[in-house]
Amino acid sequence: MSTSSDALLAAWEKSLAENRDKAAILDRQGHIVRTFAAVEQRAKFLAQKLESLASGEVAAVQIGNHPDWPSLFIACLRRKIVVLPLERSISTHERTMAMEICRASALFTVVRASGDNEEITLRDSDVAVRNVNDGRDDISPRARTADVSWDGPQPALLKLTSGTTAAPRAIRFRSAQLLADCENICTTMEIDRGDLNYGVIPISHSYGFSNLLTPLIARAVPMALSTDRMPRAIADGVAATGATVLPGMPVFYQSLCELNDVLPLSDLRLCISAGAPLSPELANKFRARFQCEIHSFYGSSECGGICYARRPEAVPGFVGEAMQGVEIELLDSETRPSRIRVRSDAVGDGYLPEPDDSKLGRGSFLPDDLLEKIGRGYRIVGRVSDLINVAGKKVNPAEVEAEILKFPGVRAVIAFGRESKRRHQEVAACVVANSEVSETELLGYLRLRLSSWQVPRRVFFVEAIPVNERGKTSRRELARRFI
């Protein structure tokens, strides 16, 4: 029987009791790095090292896909310290800004010790702790501060996200909400302790946290961790570990399809794609190559999982039905497409530093995405913020992209709005195409099929559609890059 009042800690106690000597974390060669008992032992050690922090303080965690992630999070839950995950790739300036906004008083980072061994280091203004496996204690003590009070329920986790101004802000989550998202994901996707997650997406991102970390803690689903995102390394790691579930992004699956001499991925039964639209062409190509279906997954940092394609369809932007435990309300039911309101027990409590009750809170969230109800689910057709204002006329970039993709030789495209002195904005597009495709021919083709204000003023041919570490493409960044 659980002795913890924290929802995730109670779930962890059950996972530990039933799986103590089983493998919890593997490396990408398939070697056991942590059993569940070892995760617990390490959590107790790290909890001791957190005594310099007071309940309610925020600790930023920037350690990549380190095997200490589960132990560190469990230790923070026990000490009632709020965790702020940060990606390894962000700049020092971005990290400082995020820590200031979230009032973080400590930072976990990774230092390289002898050879390839990495150690976690906890830093704040007064303390530096080297948390090493041999238990060596290098604490410089500081005066303990009083417990930090929060306006409303104290969160267990702060997820960073970007607002419309690109300034970072955080979303507050309690353990119960994180557990609800985990239950929704594992139940809907039919993931259980007999599976092995291949963890190459960042745990610091909402997608990785919900699909890798919390399933291990709450459902005893083991994971193989890797920081090598090269296509060959991913394919070899999935084969070597015998992973059965691969949470990924379209760019991963495209790269895997382009590899030669890939080992059979015979144990892989479930491929999940999130972060960007999955094209039917890529899904078909991957299925033919690896005999495994890719299932589109749609979610948001604010509320976790929203939709999942249990049965994929050859429809651009298709993301499937609402996940178990999630209710979707079409706000503009008389128009297509429509904004939606999401309700579930996994929705966060609100934003930091400034709340926005009309968008997030009290169990509901209003995404900026535009969805269309079709058949057995929904398809994403764009975002409110993506609409391009051409001399007062609104252009949906998804409509432009759909026509460009019909042109022979075009493989991928993203349309975006650029600043225009005369028309406020103008349409532009980045296109991946065969060498024989010309801008003149493509634009001539589009003028016959689109209204004049929808036709791009410029087409930029690129080797691949630019994406960030999360596998997403920012139209805002493209507008800045292709001025």
Side-chain angles (χ1 to χ4, degrees), residues 123-140:
R123 299 171 180 165
D124 64 15
S125 57
D126 301 303
V127 63
V129 184
R130 296 190 73 198
N131 298 316
V132 293
N133 287 317
D134 62 9
R136 190 170 70 249
D137 192 346
D138 295 331
I139 298 180
S140 300

Side-chain angles (χ1 to χ4, degrees), residues 136-154:
R136 190 170 70 249
D137 192 346
D138 295 331
I139 298 180
S140 300
R142 71 171 186 176
R144 187 183 176 99
T145 61
D147 288 356
V148 178
S149 61
W150 286 79
D151 181 15
Q154 178 178 312

Side-chain angles (χ1 to χ4, degrees), residues 27-48:
D27 63 18
R28 62 188 179 93
Q29 284 82 36
H31 303 134
I32 298 175
V33 179
R34 301 273 197 282
T35 61
F36 282 87
V39 170
E40 170 66 10
Q41 182 180 11
R42 187 74 174 143
K44 290 179 178 178
F45 172 78
L46 291 171
Q48 294 175 349

Side-chain angles (χ1 to χ4, degrees), residues 73-93:
F73 187 55
I74 291 167
C76 287
L77 287 175
R78 286 175 176 157
R79 298 286 307 160
K80 299 188 186 307
I81 292 166
V82 183
V83 173
L84 170 65
L86 299 177
E87 295 182 8
R88 289 285 293 273
S89 61
I90 66 173
S91 67
T92 302
H93 172 73

Side-chain angles (χ1 to χ4, degrees), residues 86-354:
L86 299 177
E87 295 182 8
R88 289 285 293 273
S89 61
I90 66 173
S91 67
T92 302
H93 172 73
E94 290 172 316
R95 183 176 73 186
T96 300
M97 185 185 303
M99 291 182 67
E100 287 179 353
I101 288 172
C102 298
R103 301 171 294 181
S105 56
L107 169 68
F108 280 96
T109 57
V110 171
V111 294
R112 192 170 295 281
S114 59
D116 291 329
N117 296 322
E118 290 187 329
E119 301 174 352
I120 293 179
T121 299
L122 171 63
R123 299 171 180 165
D124 64 15
S125 57
D126 301 303
V127 63
V129 184
R130 296 190 73 198
N131 298 316
V132 293
N133 287 317
D134 62 9
R136 190 170 70 249
D137 192 346
D138 295 331
I139 298 180
S140 300
R142 71 171 186 176
R144 187 183 176 99
T145 61
D147 288 356
V148 178
S149 61
W150 286 79
D151 181 15
Q154 178 178 312
L157 185 79
L158 298 177
K159 290 185 186 178
L160 274 185
T161 187
S162 294
T164 56
T165 62
R169 56 181 175 177
I171 309 135
R172 299 165 53 153
F173 285 93
R174 290 171 282 119
S175 281
Q177 293 157 330
L178 298 174
L179 179 60
D181 189 34
C182 172
E183 297 292 339
N184 292 347
I185 287 171
C186 290
T187 302
T188 302
M189 300 182 185
E190 299 180 339
I191 299 172
D192 60 31
R193 65 185 61 185
D195 283 307
L196 174 63
N197 268 317
Y198 193 75
V200 67
I201 58 174
I203 292 176
S204 55
H205 181 226
S206 178
Y207 181 19
F209 195 94
S210 295
N211 275 72
L212 298 172
L213 187 66
T214 52
L216 184 145
I217 292 173
R219 287 285 193 107
V221 180
M223 59 181 172
L225 289 179
S226 175
T227 58
D228 194 337
R229 304 176 75 184
M230 296 299 292
R232 177 66 62 183
I234 295 174
D236 290 348
V238 171
T241 59
T244 60
V245 180
L246 175 60
M249 300 171 285
V251 65
F252 283 15
Y253 299 116
Q254 181 64 51
S255 298
L256 290 175
C257 285
E258 294 170 357
L259 289 176
N260 296 319
D261 304 320
V262 179
L263 293 171
L265 307 181
S266 53
D267 294 309
L268 191 61
R269 71 165 189 84
L270 175 60
C271 290
I272 308 162
S273 180
L278 175 71
S279 71
E281 293 77 15
L282 174 56
N284 291 336
K285 186 177 181 181
F286 188 87
R287 184 194 309 113
R289 177 78 187 275
F290 296 102
Q291 292 75 56
C292 189
E293 197 82 62
I294 304 177
H295 297 257
S296 289
F297 174 39
Y298 166 51
S300 176
S301 298
E302 284 85 348
C303 63
I306 300 174
C307 291
Y308 177 69
R310 297 167 176 84
R311 291 173 291 175
E313 289 191 4
V315 177
F318 183 72
V319 291
E321 307 164 68
M323 299 182 66
Q324 176 166 311
V326 176
E327 176 188 339
I328 296 175
E329 175 191 0
L330 289 167
L331 297 184
D332 308 305
S333 57
E334 300 303 317
T335 63
R336 294 170 54 172
S338 169
R339 294 192 75 179
I340 63 170
R341 186 173 296 280
V342 179
R343 292 185 177 87
S344 83
D345 291 338
V347 175
D349 282 330
Y351 290 113
L352 276 180
E354 297 295 331

